[in-house]
Amino acid sequence: MARMVQDEGSSSVTSSPLQFFSLMSLSPSLGSPYPWLRELKSEERGLYLIHLILSCANHVAAGSLENANIGLEQISHLASPDGDTMQRIAAYFTEALADRILKAWPGLHKALNSTRLCSISEGILARKLFFELCPFVKLSFVITNQAILEAMEGEKMVHIIDLNAAEPAQWIALLQALSARPDGPPHLRITGIHEQKEVLDQTALRLTEEAEKLDIPFQFNPIICKLENLDVERLRVKTGEALAISSVLQLHSLLASDDENARKKSPPVSRSSNSVNLQRALQMNQGTLGELLEKDMVNGYSPSPDSASSSPASLSTSPKMESLLAALWGLSPKIMVVTEQESNHNGSTFMERLLEALYFYASLFDCLESTISRNSMERIKVEKMLFGEEIKNIIACEGIERKERHEKLDKWMQRFDFAGFGRVPMSYYGHLQAKRLLQNYGCDGYNIKEENGCLVLCWQDRSLFSVSAWRCRRYD
């Protein structure tokens, strides 16, 4: 290290300071390497932050709190919630790592969070902003509505169950489409589920006004509860109704388990492995954080066997999920359309989840970096109140507290197949409508691809959300 300090002050040095990453260790003797850090280019700083986050996470996983604390202090010199993509994402990952450490002292953790107000209203605001800033949820609504319209062709009594009725925009668009049916609109009933009465009241008001304007017979049935506590009897499905179910980014929360065996520590990744892959990364010239990570440089990481397996044994046990899907199957829906995050954030080990989260949220932060100015308050709110809270839940929480248990499309296909549902291929017209929406959006980074009859929403080449459609499959 003495030579490193000497070389930093020498004008004859031509190589990047990043060549010394492999020599660094997070130890008290290192101190702050701040003088030369200030001279790093954005891409070099991003690589160094990735290195620090992974090293720090390994210390957290190994229970080496002193070294983890030093790592968090070093990251704090570079991370910033209003900086470039890597600085912003580093700020939220380090907050999540710190929160995981604090949970080891429940009294301290509760004391530091005792005055924090309920975040339900913040979450609703953040999701509305995400709806406006990124096209993913709009795309989901367009694809879902088209699948419902096709399934309900010719039906006179239609009942839709919305597992999270917080955004009336989806059903306003459907009402307008139904009013244009050649044979006239059906009698429409929507059952909306949400834990806040005010949200359901607002949704009911907006939809009732629109239905009256379009002269469509309409009824809204509110159910105030969390999805995990839903009593299916309250859905009041009537004989003669054609039933559709819509779930947008909701089902994964039912995978939460109170199994304390989930508290497994991942073995530390060797520092030599870190070094080799980091040296490979230093030779790259990539433009975004997502591209940096996609080069397989992070500890030689590849998806776990768990995330790639297609065997029934690979599915985690989830009584609440199994119970709900069985109950919904019993209602004989003509169509059920499901949107979920396309990532494996339900891995059994902490490090597996952290690495998957780095890949996934790197792309989401890149989306905003490419389309929204850095000083946008709306962008900061989405990153803090939505992405940041999800990252914290994935990394800091275990057991029943960990609700953000995102899984990939192949897992959802297995779950629905086992529950007695058959896949309904997305129509060409639904795909075409979604592509037109993206063309009007005016950003080249977003795209849609077809996969096993489902549609996958992407940023660049990274799959971020899947939309799949299902019908009740009865056996003879």
Side-chain angles (χ1 to χ4, degrees):
M1 293 301 292
R3 184 178 170 210
M4 177 179 172
V5 173
Q6 180 182 356
D7 285 352
E8 285 168 13
S10 172
S11 60
S12 62
V13 174
T14 58
S15 56
S16 166
L18 290 171
Q19 66 178 297
F20 296 102
F21 278 2
S22 61
L23 303 177
M24 290 184 177
S25 61
L26 297 180
S27 64
S29 62
L30 180 59
S32 172
Y34 207 50
W36 63 266
L37 285 180
R38 280 196 296 259
E39 301 174 3
L40 291 180
K41 297 177 182 177
S42 175
E43 185 176 303
E44 293 175 330
R45 181 177 59 224
L47 287 169
Y48 187 34
L49 277 168
I50 293 170
H51 172 76
L52 287 175
I53 289 171
L54 294 174
S55 298
C56 183
N58 275 307
H59 288 306
V60 172
S64 179
L65 300 187
E66 182 180 358
N67 284 333
N69 178 63
I70 294 166
L72 291 175
E73 183 179 3
Q74 291 183 329
I75 296 169
S76 70
H77 289 302
L78 298 177
S80 170
D82 58 0
D84 63 27
T85 303
M86 191 60 227
Q87 287 179 302
R88 296 167 95 105
I89 199 171
Y92 296 110
F93 270 79
T94 50
E95 183 180 357
L97 288 170
D99 199 62
R100 184 178 179 90
I101 293 171
L102 283 176
K103 282 181 178 289
W105 289 274
L108 180 60
H109 186 266
K110 288 177 182 177
L112 289 173
N113 290 276
S114 62
T115 59
R116 188 180 179 199
L117 299 176
C118 179
S119 62
I120 293 177
S121 58
E122 285 187 349
I124 293 171
L125 171 61
R127 282 171 175 79
K128 285 186 178 295
L129 291 172
F130 180 58
F131 176 80
E132 295 298 331
L133 297 181
C134 293
F136 298 116
V137 179
K138 291 188 182 77
L139 288 168
S140 167
F141 288 173
V142 167
I143 296 166
T144 299
N145 283 1
Q146 183 59 34
I148 291 175
L149 282 170
E150 292 171 5
M152 298 301 162
E153 187 174 351
E155 296 288 352
K156 300 300 182 184
M157 301 281 290
V158 174
H159 184 183
I160 297 173
I161 297 171
D162 185 350
L163 300 187
N164 181 44
E167 182 49 72
Q170 177 179 9
W171 306 124
I172 288 175
L174 184 70
L175 282 165
Q176 293 169 351
L178 289 172
S179 70
R181 287 204 322 187
D183 55 346
H187 184 287
L188 178 64
R189 187 154 69 98
I190 294 181
T191 295
I193 301 163
H194 199 276
E195 58 185 301
Q196 281 200 330
K197 181 179 183 297
E198 297 80 4
V199 171
L200 291 174
D201 288 345
Q202 184 181 18
T203 299
L205 178 62
R206 293 276 307 279
L207 296 183
T208 301
E209 289 176 347
E210 188 68 22
E212 289 176 353
K213 187 190 306 180
L214 298 170
D215 195 25
I216 295 178
F218 176 74
Q219 180 184 356
F220 187 82
N221 176 36
I223 297 180
I224 306 167
C225 75
K226 293 183 178 180
L227 182 58
E228 61 190 73
N229 299 325
L230 176 64
D231 178 2
V232 176
E233 294 295 323
R234 296 177 65 189
L235 298 175
R236 297 188 299 169
V237 177
K238 300 175 183 178
T239 303
E241 289 181 329
L243 180 64
I245 303 170
S246 171
S247 175
V248 179
L249 308 180
Q250 294 303 305
L251 288 182
H252 63 262
S253 65
L254 297 180
L255 297 173
S257 169
D258 57 4
D259 182 6
E260 290 303 310
N261 290 329
R263 296 177 177 271
K264 297 179 181 178
K265 294 180 179 179
S266 58
V269 178
S270 70
R271 198 165 278 127
S272 61
S273 174
N274 267 340
S275 302
V276 169
N277 289 287
L278 198 60
Q279 290 295 342
R280 287 168 50 203
L282 299 183
Q283 310 303 320
M284 301 172 189
N285 182 24
Q286 304 297 327
T288 67
L289 173 57
E291 289 171 335
L292 289 173
L293 289 167
E294 284 297 336
K295 288 300 182 179
D296 215 19
M297 64 144 191
V298 183
N299 298 332
Y301 174 72
S302 59
S304 66
D306 175 67
S307 67
S309 173
S310 60
S311 66
S314 72
L315 291 179
S316 58
T317 302
S318 177
K320 287 183 179 179
M321 176 69 73
E322 293 164 5
S323 175
L324 179 66
L325 290 184
L328 295 179
W329 181 87
L331 299 177
S332 300
K334 287 196 74 175
I335 191 83
M336 179 171 180
V337 189
V338 178
T339 302
E340 281 293 332
Q341 289 88 343
E342 181 65 2
S343 192
N344 180 29
H345 295 145
N346 197 24
S348 59
T349 68
F350 159 63
M351 283 301 295
E352 179 185 347
R353 296 199 308 271
L354 180 134
L355 288 164
E356 284 275 356
L358 263 177
Y359 274 86
F360 182 79
Y361 288 98
S363 293
L364 285 177
F365 275 76
D366 275 342
C367 290
L368 295 179
E369 177 74 6
S370 299
T371 56
I372 312 295
S373 67
R374 289 183 181 177
N375 58 1
S376 164
M377 285 307 300
E378 289 79 9
R379 173 182 172 180
I380 292 172
K381 286 178 181 177
V382 168
E383 291 174 342
K384 178 176 176 59
M385 297 189 297
L386 183 59
F387 301 164
E389 288 302 308
E390 289 179 358
I391 290 167
K392 187 184 297 183
N393 189 263
I394 292 166
I395 292 173
C397 297
E398 294 290 356
I400 202 165
E401 288 185 350
R402 183 155 55 85
K403 302 291 187 182
E404 302 300 334
R405 293 172 174 256
H406 312 146
E407 293 191 339
K408 292 191 175 184
L409 180 59
D410 61 342
K411 289 283 191 74
W412 290 110
M413 291 170 65
Q414 292 176 59
R415 290 186 186 282
F416 276 85
D417 182 56
F418 298 152
F421 288 86
R423 192 162 69 256
V424 178
M426 293 295 181
S427 70
Y428 169 78
Y429 190 63
H431 195 169
L432 184 62
Q433 280 191 313
K435 283 190 171 183
R436 284 175 178 168
L437 188 153
L438 279 187
Q439 288 172 355
N440 295 332
Y441 193 75
C443 179
D444 294 336
Y446 297 100
N447 61 82
I448 305 169
K449 64 182 179 181
E450 188 273 338
E451 187 174 311
N452 295 316
C454 309
L455 294 180
V456 180
L457 316 180
C458 309
W459 170 253
Q460 307 294 0
D461 294 326
R462 177 72 183 182
S463 300
L464 294 179
F465 299 91
S466 66
V467 188
S468 58
W470 306 86
R471 66 175 180 272
C472 181
R473 187 180 69 232
R474 296 285 186 180
Y475 293 99
D476 296 331

